[in-house]
Amino acid sequence: MKELQFNRHRRLRSNASMRALVRETHLHKEDLIYPIFIIDGEQVKNEVSSMPGVFQISMDNLRTEMEEVTGLGIKSVILFGVPHEHDKDEQGTGAFDHNGLVQQATRFIKKEFPEVIVIADTCLCEYTSHGHCGIVEDGKILNDASLDLLAKTAISQAEAGADIIAPSNMMDGFVTAIRAGLDEAGYVDIPIMSYAVKYSSAFYGPFREAANGAPQFGDRKTYQMDPGNRIEAFREAESDVVEGADFLIVKPALSYMDIIRDLKNNFTLPVVAYNVSGEYSMIKGAALNGWIDEKAIVIEMLTGFKRAGADLIITYHAKDVARWINEEK
């Protein structure tokens, strides 16, 4: 029989140590950003029904939460405020209140856990009575009139000690407005982690329960991107780069890994994958029913985000992943 000529790729898969030796993409605890929902009140720890393992917590429970987060080796968190309905108004003034929920939580974390990177989600939707990310007039979301409020919110968060400002509103010009506001207020060294490419996605459903931030009318399709568009992502990201962004977020992540790779190939800023609530809930739900191996699937998914080009990952799985990584050492 004539000798066959072919490559023996399996030589590098022969055992676990060999596979680890040649592995191209690695997931580290330093890659993870953990979202925390701060709710008004005392002794509150509400599990989000559609997001098992994720809680709305009051300020008096934040120390315990942060002790767990830091004990696991997670070095970055992103904060969301969850005010009561009666504290919301048309302009979302709670977003830029000196004693707002995100501001209080930021001051606490930076005092008690100074080594942690605090990222402040900068939007109005959790604080507006109508649930939209900007000022509404006659049923229309006003772009330019909303920019001043977003800049005020970013400045108040920087004053509270936020290390990074993360505007998620998708108003045109939001990065340049926030950069100008921060610079004028003396916060020239505070970076902006822009939600540069944010799609109008069905995967956000559970988050709206967690943040109590569903729109009271209509939807967000006039300011968030159409899921069918790819070239538009280049335009959105390029605008934010020119306007002064320091990080570029792609949200959601799982259905948009091609966009993560596109941004990584075309821009030099760090790319952040937002592993959103619906992606989390699908896996958690299936795992609780015993249908999947949760650890294997989560690690594979997050490694996929890294392979696609993400430098960082915002994920509700962060504590579990950090725990799994620790167990392997």
Side-chain angles (χ1 to χ4, degrees), residues 24-44:
E24 301 170 30
T25 306
H26 296 270
L27 187 63
H28 304 288
K29 290 182 290 184
E30 291 79 5
D31 303 331
L32 307 174
I33 300 169
Y34 184 61
I36 297 177
F37 297 95
I38 306 297
I39 194 168
D40 213 353
E42 296 181 357
Q43 298 183 348
V44 180

Side-chain angles (χ1 to χ4, degrees), residues 186-258:
Y187 298 107
V188 296
D189 294 324
I190 299 295
I192 295 175
M193 181 181 285
S194 171
Y195 285 67
V197 181
K198 182 177 180 180
Y199 286 88
S200 179
S201 172
F203 284 98
Y204 301 152
F207 175 89
R208 290 171 182 171
E209 179 192 352
N212 295 349
Q216 298 302 303
F217 69 90
D219 53 42
R220 294 174 177 155
K221 293 182 180 179
T222 64
Y223 46 102
Q224 295 177 359
M225 286 176 51
D226 187 315
N229 291 357
R230 173 173 171 260
I231 301 303
E232 184 182 8
F234 288 90
R235 298 199 301 268
E236 287 281 0
E238 185 175 28
S239 292
D240 288 1
V241 171
V242 170
E243 292 174 15
D246 301 281
F247 302 80
L248 301 173
I249 297 176
V250 176
K251 180 182 181 183
L254 188 59
S255 295
Y256 300 90
M257 292 172 71
D258 58 325

Side-chain angles (χ1 to χ4, degrees), residues 2 27 39 62 65 101 103 111 153 173 190 203 215 231 241 244 251 264 289 295 325 329:
K2 184 179 179 180
L27 187 63
I39 194 168
L62 185 54
E65 179 77 357
L101 295 169
Q103 288 82 352
K111 178 183 178 183
T153 300
I190 299 295
F203 284 98
I231 301 303
V241 171
K251 180 182 181 183
K264 189 65 175 178
N289 278 285
K295 175 182 176 180
I325 291 174
K329 291 185 177 180

Side-chain angles (χ1 to χ4, degrees), residues 135 141-148 150 170-174 223:
I135 294 175
I141 295 88
L142 303 183
N143 191 93
D144 297 8
S146 302
L147 298 179
D148 286 343
L150 294 166
M170 286 295 285
M171 296 293 111
D172 291 336
F174 70 94
Y223 46 102

Side-chain angles (χ1 to χ4, degrees), residues 150-166:
L150 294 166
K152 287 178 68 175
T153 300
I155 293 167
S156 74
Q157 293 168 338
E159 287 174 345
D163 297 288
I164 299 173
I165 299 300

